[in-house]
Amino acid sequence: MAGESVSPAPSARRQETRARLLDAAAEVFTEEGLLGASVESVCTRAGFTRGAFYSNFSNKEELFLALLDREYEQRTRFLQARAEELVPLLSSRECLLTPGDAAHYVTEFFAPTGWEATWFALETEFMLLALREPSSALGLTDFIGRFRLELEELVEGIVLAAGRRFTIPVERAMPILGGVYERAFRITALAGPDAPEGLNELGERIAELLFAITEDSE
């Protein structure tokens, strides 16, 4: 509208500075925790002065929330990219999906990436922050809710492409499937993907559940 001012887009240099601070924060918060980490340690890791930090963030809590927002976004894009590869493959199948097939696809879809420990540490720090500061709990709820909705769309699309449909509302199916995945993710972060109930065993567990709460769509 006329008369409204538009904030200028951040310069490439400013974007790079912010990205380097977020990269450094991911390492420092993972190693030292939110309470143990300091602005100085993040600046040192990124190779910047405190002035560069405070031109981008008002405090380390704001930095942490920006980092978590970026991590959720990157994680969502990563899963979306894998779904874009999987859906055409499933749609082109000429035979019905079997539990063994589903286990194989799930294992491939959730194959370990190497960032499980970092993500688990950051998410745990956010939960602790929400417990210590109730005002932060709203941010946590927003992050989780947004991520859940995006996953619901992905999972429902994959299931339909596989020739099946949920027998219960997808919003009720996701907590069931998500609980199994999150347990496998936590175990992988702590003990590696080959640990009992880690990500390398996730395929069979998810496939068993999928065939219990879905049916052939034809």
Side-chain angles (χ1 to χ4, degrees):
M1 294 177 61
E4 290 185 351
S5 61
V6 178
S7 298
S11 66
R13 182 176 181 181
R14 183 179 179 86
Q15 290 178 338
E16 181 183 358
T17 299
R18 184 179 178 88
R20 284 175 57 184
L21 285 168
L22 289 170
D23 289 341
E27 297 176 2
V28 173
F29 287 137
T30 299
E31 295 169 5
E32 303 177 15
L34 179 58
L35 289 181
S38 65
V39 170
E40 289 78 6
S41 60
V42 173
C43 290
T44 299
R45 187 71 59 94
F48 290 125
T49 63
R50 289 171 62 91
F53 177 91
Y54 285 113
S55 68
N56 287 275
F57 305 100
S58 59
N59 52 49
K60 70 175 182 179
E61 286 75 20
E62 182 181 322
L63 167 67
F64 183 70
L65 293 177
L67 172 63
L68 203 68
D69 185 60
R70 187 186 74 166
E71 295 300 309
Y72 266 107
E73 182 179 348
Q74 289 180 344
R75 189 177 179 189
T76 299
R77 287 203 306 265
F78 176 77
L79 293 176
Q80 287 172 336
R82 284 194 169 176
E84 288 173 2
E85 296 175 357
L86 180 57
V87 166
L89 184 63
L90 291 171
S91 299
S92 65
R93 287 176 55 90
E94 297 181 355
C95 55
L96 293 177
L97 190 75
T98 68
D101 294 331
H104 170 74
Y105 288 126
V106 171
T107 299
E108 290 293 318
F109 189 80
F110 289 114
T113 61
W115 45 253
E116 287 80 16
T118 296
W119 174 254
F120 177 60
L122 293 175
E123 195 170 46
T124 300
E125 286 295 329
F126 194 10
M127 290 182 181
L128 291 173
L129 174 63
L131 287 172
R132 298 188 189 104
E133 300 182 22
S135 60
S136 299
L138 294 176
L140 177 60
T141 301
D142 178 63
F143 279 124
I144 293 176
R146 191 176 67 208
F147 187 58
R148 188 193 70 244
L149 289 174
E150 290 169 340
L151 279 184
E152 284 179 5
E153 294 180 4
L154 281 181
V155 171
E156 190 166 28
I158 291 171
V159 168
L160 289 173
R164 300 188 68 83
R165 62 187 171 211
F166 283 106
T167 57
I168 60 176
V170 64
E171 61 269 20
R172 290 172 56 191
M174 285 304 297
I176 300 172
L177 298 170
V180 177
Y181 167 73
E182 289 170 8
R183 176 175 174 79
F185 191 90
R186 289 195 298 269
I187 289 173
T188 296
L190 295 171
D194 293 323
E197 298 188 56
L199 284 177
N200 286 346
E201 293 185 5
L202 183 63
E204 292 183 3
R205 296 175 183 276
I206 291 292
E208 182 179 15
L209 279 173
L210 275 176
F211 273 75
I213 59 177
T214 65
E215 62 185 7
D216 290 338
S217 60
E218 299 178 358

